[in-house]
Amino acid sequence: MDEKEAARAAVREFLTTRRARVTPTEAGLPPQGTRRRVKGLRREEVALLAGVSPEYYVRLERGQATGPSAGVVDAVADVLRLDDDERAHLGRLLAALTPAARKRSRGAAKDLVTPGIRVLLDSMDHLPAVVFNGRFDILAVNTLGRALLAPVYDMPGRANCARFLFLDEPRARDLFPEWDRITADTVAMLRIEAGRHPDDPDLTELIGQLATRSTEFRTRWATNDVRIHRTGTKIFRHPLIGEITLPYETLNIDAVSNQILTVYTPQPGTPEADAIRLLASWNADNQRNNTTAGTRGRNLEG
């Protein structure tokens, strides 16, 4: 499949799945006695409600409409009840249909973490902090974040949370008791990344690997859901500190558009903060022991 066909397929799959989830009753259409062959709205019903011709909507859904106006896109989004994340995703998919946009989108941004971000990570010695790219590769992490996500690093190659979730599922379910929710969120964010960088070879390889090896991933990927999580909580079942619920904040790193800084932020004086302090103490002791063992080994060699 060439780039243009891939862009059209992305539009078609997204609009088809969004159309299938809106019932005629929800859309305000009168009850119909005939048996319906499609789940959700028909194409001609979307066209009617959006105020466009059925022929035009068919071309739009197939990715064949030329430069749809913002008004038409907004009308379709209203009919399909798209939220803000979905509207932005649809806009990116439609923009990717133009050759100039496809050329601009090629390749995700560099995975280089700036020295300033590394200084910032190291300065947060009491909070776990991690820098991800859009593929969920861990690009940088402070020592406390490394200790919190230690099981992720047991997989070969670059640490990647998506691969860990789906390809090391038993251990991932142990670390993340809310595995079903977290995996759904992860796939929804990968969908957004695919819309931003449809020609990123590393992303294509990751999605292909997950789809080939994980039925759970294939099921979630087929829903075409998109969602961005900027703040929330995540439950960990950590081998050292037990089960803990940590709030987190995510910040886009402006210097590099596809990098996200995630910081876990337990409130001071809470049991969660005490657990993180215990993890930090254990991590410091472990590093001291490793350093002492290394020094002792070098002295024996000498």
Side-chain angles (χ1 to χ4, degrees), residues 143-144 146-148 150 238 240 277-295:
T143 55
L144 198 46
R146 177 70 166 74
L148 183 65
H238 196 273
L240 293 173
R277 190 159 51 246
L278 175 64
L279 181 63
S281 176
W282 173 87
N283 191 59
D285 289 343
N286 190 52
Q287 288 183 327
R288 280 194 295 270
N289 291 338
N290 289 340
T291 300
T292 301
T295 302

Side-chain angles (χ1 to χ4, degrees), residues 36-286:
R36 300 176 64 88
R37 295 183 179 180
V38 298
K39 182 180 179 181
L41 294 174
R42 299 186 179 102
R43 292 186 182 91
E44 58 268 25
E45 291 170 336
V46 177
L48 172 67
L49 294 168
V52 298
S53 71
E55 295 78 13
Y56 184 81
Y57 179 75
V58 169
R59 294 202 305 273
L60 178 67
E61 189 172 287
R62 291 176 177 173
Q64 297 171 338
T66 303
S69 69
V72 168
V73 176
D74 284 341
V76 170
D78 288 341
V79 172
L80 299 181
R81 300 190 167 196
L82 304 188
D83 61 24
D84 290 343
D85 291 337
E86 291 170 327
R87 287 170 185 263
H89 183 65
L90 176 60
R92 286 189 292 267
L93 295 181
L94 292 172
L97 293 172
T98 64
R102 289 198 300 272
K103 185 176 180 180
R104 287 195 302 271
S105 74
R106 282 183 185 148
K110 298 290 185 181
D111 287 338
L112 179 66
V113 177
T114 65
I117 293 298
R118 292 188 181 276
V119 170
L120 178 62
L121 285 174
D122 292 340
S123 70
M124 291 188 286
D125 57 357
H126 62 298
L127 296 174
V130 191
V131 175
F132 298 96
N133 61 17
R135 301 183 299 273
F136 288 96
D137 291 326
I138 297 178
L139 303 181
V141 62
N142 63 5
T143 55
L144 198 46
R146 177 70 166 74
L148 183 65
L149 297 175
V152 180
Y153 285 86
D154 290 338
M155 294 189 73
R158 171 181 276 183
N160 179 282
C161 284
R163 265 195 290 266
F164 174 71
L165 284 168
F166 289 103
L167 302 187
D168 197 357
E169 186 178 330
R171 298 188 68 212
R173 286 182 179 273
D174 284 342
L175 182 62
F176 298 112
E178 294 181 307
W179 184 89
D180 288 309
R181 178 179 69 85
I182 291 174
T183 52
D185 291 345
T186 298
V187 173
M189 287 185 279
L190 282 175
R191 269 289 181 189
I192 290 177
E193 185 69 5
R196 287 175 176 151
H197 303 289
D199 304 309
D200 176 12
D202 292 329
L203 179 61
T204 300
E205 180 184 2
L206 172 65
I207 292 171
Q209 182 185 47
L210 296 179
T212 301
R213 298 175 57 185
S214 171
T215 302
E216 296 281 2
F217 178 83
R218 289 196 301 274
T219 300
R220 287 161 174 75
W221 186 253
T223 66
N224 261 272
D225 288 339
V226 293
R227 187 164 50 253
I228 294 177
H229 282 266
R230 299 169 181 85
T231 185
T233 60
K234 188 172 292 185
I235 300 177
F236 292 84
R237 189 184 293 122
H238 196 273
L240 293 173
I241 57 177
E243 189 164 306
I244 180 174
T245 301
L246 292 177
Y248 66 86
E249 301 286 341
T250 61
L251 304 170
N252 289 323
I253 299 175
D254 289 340
V256 188
S257 61
N258 77 324
Q259 291 183 7
I260 295 174
L261 171 63
T262 298
V263 183
Y264 296 95
T265 55
Q267 292 296 312
T270 62
E272 291 77 18
D274 292 341
I276 291 299
R277 190 159 51 246
L278 175 64
L279 181 63
S281 176
W282 173 87
N283 191 59
D285 289 343
N286 190 52

